[in-house]
Amino acid sequence: LERTGVEYTIDDIVASFRKIPSVESVFNFMQRCINKLERQKRGRTAEGYTSTMNSFIQFRKNEDLSFEAFDSELMEMYEAYLKEKGLVKNSTSYYMRIWRSVYNLAGYTTDKKPFKHVYTGIDKTVKRAVPFKIIKMIKELDLSFEPQLELARDIFLFSFYTRGMSFIDMAHLKKSNLQNGILTYSRKKTGQRLTILWEELMQEIVDKYKDDSSEYLLPILRYCDINDRKQYKLRAKQIGRGLNKIGLRLELKAPLTFY
């Protein structure tokens, strides 16, 4: 209307809008959301949306639908499907919260309150802390002839020394984050800025894997470029498998993880 050069009113805008058919399917709209997240470099969120979409496509047996068909009965059936697949309450809620966000983004639909009868909360999870005696056993393991396990152990210990730093935050630590005996970084998940007093045990790990050609503090990511997400996922799997093997070797009752 602006480009026509003709004067127009609010009623003209509304009338034009109502002529636009709401024909975009759920699958197409979800894919557009994922593409947008990827363009915004929000890789982890995009992966969550992709996992949710794939799950829903399997539930629908590849049959697409419009948002007009998105109702409470459909989402109750989807929740039941997820539970049959063995997902716990927090996992089904995670998928539901993503779909609720997507549904709200597609705001041209009539709100049929599709999430009224499904769970979208967050249950408190049981803490799974590792006793200090186990930490000591892990530290004292002789892994000098098993470099992959040794790396997994050292990254695990570094997390312990730094008050439980998450794997993604450790992966992205750069040498510039360490200044005058203080480690400063921002959490990837929340953006919260944290400072930690640098200790000798932390330095020992950094010295063991020192690489003058890398700008990273730890040997998780090697290259700072557009593929760092791919590097990160690969290294996370490798180190996760290493921790699991260490846990089995120590005959721990639960799998050993960063969590």
Side-chain angles (χ1 to χ4, degrees):
L1 287 170
E2 194 81 52
R3 285 195 296 268
T4 64
V6 179
E7 290 187 359
Y8 58 89
T9 66
I10 293 293
D11 289 336
D12 294 327
I13 295 172
V14 172
S16 297
F17 176 77
R18 285 177 174 162
K19 290 176 184 177
I20 301 172
S22 303
V23 295
E24 185 169 28
S25 73
V26 171
F27 294 177
N28 287 342
F29 186 79
M30 180 60 137
Q31 189 58 57
R32 283 208 298 121
C33 291
I34 293 168
N35 294 342
K36 183 178 180 181
L37 289 168
E38 289 174 343
R39 288 195 302 272
Q40 294 172 337
K41 309 297 183 186
R42 296 170 61 189
R44 294 188 76 188
T45 306
E47 286 172 9
Y49 274 56
T50 301
S51 175
T52 302
M53 179 177 176
N54 290 339
S55 164
F56 195 72
I57 288 173
Q58 290 171 8
F59 160 67
R60 291 282 301 172
K61 297 180 180 177
N62 291 311
E63 184 180 344
D64 207 342
L65 71 163
S66 72
F67 277 101
E68 298 303 324
F70 224 80
D71 58 20
S72 180
E73 182 180 1
L74 176 72
M75 299 317 290
E76 285 183 76
M77 290 170 62
Y78 178 50
E79 184 181 55
Y81 166 83
L82 294 174
K83 288 177 179 177
E84 287 174 4
K85 289 287 184 181
L87 273 68
V88 298
K89 205 172 181 181
N90 276 346
S91 297
T92 64
S93 175
Y94 174 73
Y95 285 146
M96 292 299 170
R97 293 197 307 275
I98 287 178
W99 277 119
R100 184 173 61 187
S101 296
V102 171
Y103 184 82
N104 289 337
L105 282 172
Y108 51 77
T109 63
T110 302
D111 187 1
K112 297 183 178 180
K113 302 192 183 304
F115 306 95
K116 185 176 181 180
H117 300 297
V118 296
Y119 183 68
T120 57
I122 301 175
D123 274 4
K124 191 172 182 180
T125 55
V126 177
K127 293 291 183 183
R128 295 183 286 179
V130 178
F132 182 71
K133 67 178 182 179
I134 300 297
I135 299 286
K136 194 168 185 293
M137 288 168 62
I138 293 169
K139 185 178 187 301
E140 292 174 351
L141 275 176
D142 182 7
L143 300 171
S144 52
F145 294 102
E146 300 173 276
Q148 289 292 335
L149 295 191
E150 186 174 29
L151 174 61
R153 186 269 306 280
D154 290 343
I155 298 298
F156 179 85
L157 289 175
F158 188 89
S159 174
F160 175 70
Y161 298 152
T162 53
R163 306 184 306 208
M165 188 184 296
S166 70
F167 184 78
I168 192 168
D169 289 334
M170 288 189 292
H172 288 89
L173 281 180
K174 293 185 177 179
K175 293 171 183 175
S176 56
N177 290 114
L178 179 58
Q179 300 287 338
N180 302 317
I182 299 292
L183 183 67
T184 305
Y185 72 99
S186 296
R187 290 198 64 196
K188 287 283 183 182
K189 185 175 181 179
T190 64
Q192 181 185 10
R193 194 167 176 81
L194 298 172
T195 58
I196 297 174
L197 182 65
W198 193 248
E199 300 284 358
E200 185 179 346
L201 288 170
M202 304 172 196
Q203 188 64 46
E204 287 177 6
I205 292 174
V206 170
D207 287 342
K208 183 190 290 189
Y209 300 98
K210 187 176 180 181
D211 182 356
D212 292 333
S213 67
S214 173
E215 60 185 296
Y216 290 108
L217 200 60
L218 295 168
I220 300 173
L221 300 181
R222 291 295 184 186
Y223 310 104
C224 185
D225 59 23
I226 58 173
N227 293 318
D228 77 335
R229 181 68 187 161
K230 191 174 181 180
Q231 291 181 72
Y232 168 78
K233 290 177 69 177
L234 177 63
R235 297 296 273 172
K237 284 183 180 178
Q238 290 173 341
I239 291 173
R241 283 196 294 265
L243 281 184
N244 188 53
K245 289 179 181 177
I246 291 171
L248 292 172
R249 186 168 299 184
L250 294 175
E251 298 182 348
L252 303 184
K253 293 180 180 179
L256 184 64
T257 67
F258 285 103
Y259 181 77

